[in-house]
Amino acid sequence: MSPKRNCILILLLSVLVSCSGKGREFNPDPKGPEDLAGSIISCGQGSSYQRFFSEHYPDYTTVDFANADMLVAVQSGKADFGFVDSLELLALNLDRYGLEEKFTSFQRHEYPMLFSRKTPGYCDIFNRFLHEFKADGSMDRLLGRWMGPDDAQRYLDTLELPAEGKSMVVALSVSRYPYTYFTENGPSGFQIDLMHHFSAWSGIPVEFKVMDTGAIPPALMAGTVQCTMIPFENTEERARFVMFSEPYISDCGTCIGRKSGHFEKEPFISRLKQSVRMNLIEENRWKMVLDGLFVTIEISLYSIIASILAGAGICAMRMSRRKWLQTTAKVTINIIRRIPLLILLMILLYVVFASFHPEPMLVATIGFAIYFGVYFSESFRTGIESIQHGQWEAGYALGFSSLATFCKIILPQALLRIIPVFKGLMITLIKSTSIVGYIAIFDMTKASDMIRSRTFDAFFPLLTVAALYLILSWLFGFILDSVHKSLTPKHRTI
């Protein structure tokens, strides 16, 4: 091997070793933030902890995770330490998850509600409610009940909620126990209870919408949602786009680290049984996965049908004799092919349809139809053009019109060549539905996120969802194979 190749190989190995983190030294028992040098710190997206370390310790290594994954990263060893609120810590059984408290009373912060500037009146009403709710001691009572160690005390108050009038849509991530979390009966937690009290006090119906944390700010700015309880810190930059209420809670942070040897104490089978119990049996969490599965199947079916129709339409434009239709189809195909699917969905929801407030399911179907329609259209065109021109002439010789020739002679032959390509596209479409959680659709992947935020177990929920996607993909592939076989002349029965 040449010296030049040796140098390149040594350089690559050095990079891999440095990225692996081996040999990294850090204090496993810190007493304060100054002791975290050399460690990997897990911070929640948009949290005050993220801002604190960027300002005071810019040389520290920080990684940003959504709330559902922050402590999972610590538990799995991807990060050395993470941070939770002290009130939140009272309700978490850290020992069960192999975690322990390192130090507390760190980075005091206050949590306001965030309101859309398109509906500023809601913010004023909430501030008036908050003043009264704190003054009569109701806030202290609610905090004491939800943030204590007793699970039996964590329940939603029975209130007479308004059923008429325009609803205020509140965005949730449902990934911070006991602030907001998901149960078989829907969203629950301290913040849900607080908004129920606000609704009963103000007479304004409240509608909760589960969304990915990163999708909430654009939804607020677009007016798709009117409020969120995600604990984003009040900064001048953010205040230009959203309105902040008065703080409804004040708290400080606690550093959390992994207990050494926790999971090595139990054999694999015992850990597996524990994972099944925590992730599926407790609180009937299997129902969340089942509901998410039905939503995934529904989106897949709608999107496949819409994509085929859109693909047929684009193909007809692409093969039209009218120049302007051909040009329109070519431009559409070239643009859509170069836009990521997730970006397309978010543009449709928060820009194109922002003023119409459509159902996310409809937006997802339209987005998938546009994105995969261009690929289906090219498959249609390739299959049709692969049929020899003599087949058209034979149809004309038999007295068929152009449409009859296409439907009776060209299309059956083209389908035999198109279906194998369709199989790959449909399977890709089904797998791509895993991103719809970003636009407030509770699918299988979102269900696994909710479970993971409660159990801090990344392996089992993701493995379960992966297995379900595998089954769905196989089932759709089997159906298409059966259709292809029935259309193949040599397999037909006379």
Side-chain angles (χ1 to χ4, degrees):
M1 188 178 293
S2 66
K4 184 177 180 180
R5 290 185 178 180
N6 284 333
C7 292
I8 294 175
L9 181 60
I10 292 172
L11 179 61
L12 290 174
L13 290 175
S14 301
V15 171
L16 290 174
V17 170
S18 63
C19 292
S20 67
K22 292 184 178 181
R24 180 171 51 85
E25 295 182 359
F26 66 95
N27 185 355
D29 190 27
K31 304 301 181 184
E34 64 279 355
D35 296 333
L36 297 177
S39 60
I40 299 176
I41 306 164
S42 173
C43 296
Q45 293 174 351
S47 67
S48 59
Y49 309 117
Q50 184 186 51
R51 183 179 178 88
F52 173 85
F53 283 107
S54 64
E55 290 182 352
H56 296 87
Y57 300 96
D59 295 333
Y60 282 13
T61 302
T62 59
V63 288
D64 303 331
F65 288 95
N67 290 322
D69 297 317
M70 184 175 61
L71 292 183
V72 175
V74 178
Q75 187 193 60
S76 61
K78 291 182 175 60
D80 301 314
F81 304 104
F83 292 91
V84 297
D85 295 339
S86 296
L87 289 174
E88 186 180 0
L89 182 65
L90 296 175
L92 293 175
N93 184 358
L94 292 180
D95 185 67
R96 180 183 187 184
Y97 307 120
L99 302 171
E100 64 181 359
E101 176 184 335
K102 297 298 183 180
F103 60 87
T104 190
S105 299
F106 160 74
Q107 180 60 9
R108 179 160 292 279
H109 46 258
E110 296 178 325
Y111 289 153
M113 296 279 283
L114 279 69
F115 290 87
S116 172
R117 286 195 172 274
K118 293 183 179 294
T119 51
Y122 286 133
C123 187
D124 297 331
I125 297 172
F126 182 79
N127 284 334
R128 294 200 301 269
F129 155 75
L130 198 61
H131 178 76
E132 293 187 15
F133 201 65
K134 288 182 177 180
D136 64 11
S138 297
M139 179 65 80
D140 292 334
R141 178 186 65 83
L142 212 63
L143 282 171
R145 188 158 56 79
W146 280 98
M147 301 301 174
D150 188 0
D151 283 336
Q153 295 296 316
R154 281 186 273 277
Y155 58 87
L156 297 175
D157 283 329
T158 303
L159 302 169
E160 187 174 345
L161 301 176
E164 298 181 354
K166 185 178 180 180
S167 297
M168 182 178 74
V169 182
V170 180
L172 307 171
S173 69
V174 200
S175 59
R176 293 192 68 197
Y177 182 82
Y179 285 104
T180 54
Y181 58 98
F182 214 85
T183 68
E184 60 178 307
N185 298 319
S188 186
F190 161 74
Q191 292 174 325
I192 304 293
D193 211 356
L194 178 64
M195 292 308 298
H196 280 173
H197 280 276
F198 165 74
S199 179
W201 177 88
S202 65
I204 300 174
V206 172
E207 176 189 345
F208 297 108
K209 181 177 288 189
V210 180
M211 302 180 67
D212 186 85
T213 303
I216 292 177
L220 278 173
M221 289 185 284
T224 307
V225 300
Q226 285 76 54
C227 173
T228 183
M229 293 179 286
I230 299 294
F232 288 117
E233 188 181 6
N234 188 346
T235 64
E236 292 183 6
E237 184 180 25
R238 291 170 178 166
R240 291 185 299 167
F241 303 102
V242 297
M243 298 183 68
F244 288 87
S245 73
E246 296 296 324
Y248 64 90
I249 193 172
S250 178
D251 202 358
C252 60
T254 298
C255 180
I256 301 299
R258 180 179 169 91
K259 294 179 76 173
S260 60
H262 175 80
F263 292 100
E264 287 73 10
K265 297 177 183 178
E266 299 180 1
F268 173 76
I269 298 299
S270 298
R271 299 200 308 270
L272 182 61
K273 290 180 179 178
Q274 183 183 10
S275 293
V276 173
R277 184 176 66 255
M278 285 196 311
N279 292 287
L280 296 179
I281 306 302
E282 291 184 5
E283 299 181 359
N284 291 325
R285 289 173 183 146
W286 61 271
K287 292 184 178 180
M288 296 170 57
V289 178
L290 190 62
D291 291 341
L293 173 62
F294 290 148
V295 171
T296 298
I297 293 174
E298 186 178 4
I299 294 176
S300 299
L301 289 174
Y302 291 158
S303 299
I304 288 173
I305 294 172
S307 296
I308 292 175
L309 294 176
I314 297 173
C315 177
M317 294 172 61
R318 183 78 167 79
M319 301 183 70
S320 173
R321 295 178 180 178
R322 293 180 173 85
K323 196 70 175 178
W324 69 272
L325 287 176
Q326 291 183 25
T327 303
T328 302
K330 288 179 181 179
V331 171
T332 301
I333 291 171
N334 287 328
I335 291 175
I336 298 302
R337 276 178 166 177
R338 288 162 173 79
I339 299 177
L341 176 57
L342 177 58
I343 301 300
L344 176 62
L345 291 177
M346 297 185 75
I347 289 175
L348 289 175
L349 183 62
Y350 302 127
V351 180
V352 178
F353 298 124
S355 58
F356 300 101
H357 305 293
E359 286 295 322
M361 182 76 76
L362 176 61
V363 175
T365 302
I366 294 174
F368 280 108
I370 294 172
Y371 188 84
F372 284 95
V374 301
Y375 293 98
F376 277 107
S377 71
E378 290 297 276
S379 299
F380 275 126
R381 186 173 67 87
T382 303
I384 293 170
E385 291 182 346
S386 68
I387 306 302
Q388 294 180 356
H389 189 69
Q391 298 291 317
W392 289 93
E393 295 176 347
Y396 297 148
L398 292 172
F400 292 153
S401 65
S402 296
L403 180 61
T405 300
F406 175 77
C407 294
K408 294 182 178 181
I409 298 177
I410 305 300
L411 185 59
Q413 297 180 70
L415 283 176
L416 290 175
R417 306 179 184 189
I418 293 172
I419 287 178
V421 181
F422 270 23
K423 178 181 176 181
L425 287 174
M426 288 184 182
I427 291 175
T428 302
L429 188 154
I430 293 169
K431 293 187 295 183
S432 297
T433 61
S434 60
I435 66 173
V436 296
Y438 282 90
I439 60 170
I441 297 178
F442 194 88
D443 69 320
M444 281 196 299
T445 305
K446 194 65 177 179
S448 74
D449 289 342
M450 298 301 100
I451 294 173
R452 203 164 67 248
S453 69
R454 290 293 309 278
T455 63
F456 300 159
D457 183 357
F459 173 74
F460 194 85
L462 292 176
L463 183 65
T464 302
V465 170
L468 291 174
Y469 272 112
L470 179 65
I471 294 171
L472 273 182
S473 300
W474 173 85
L475 181 61
F476 274 83
F478 175 78
I479 293 173
L480 278 180
D481 286 340
S482 300
V483 172
H484 184 261
K485 185 176 181 180
S486 67
L487 293 176
T488 304
K490 67 179 181 180
H491 292 297
R492 293 178 186 168
T493 57
I494 300 176

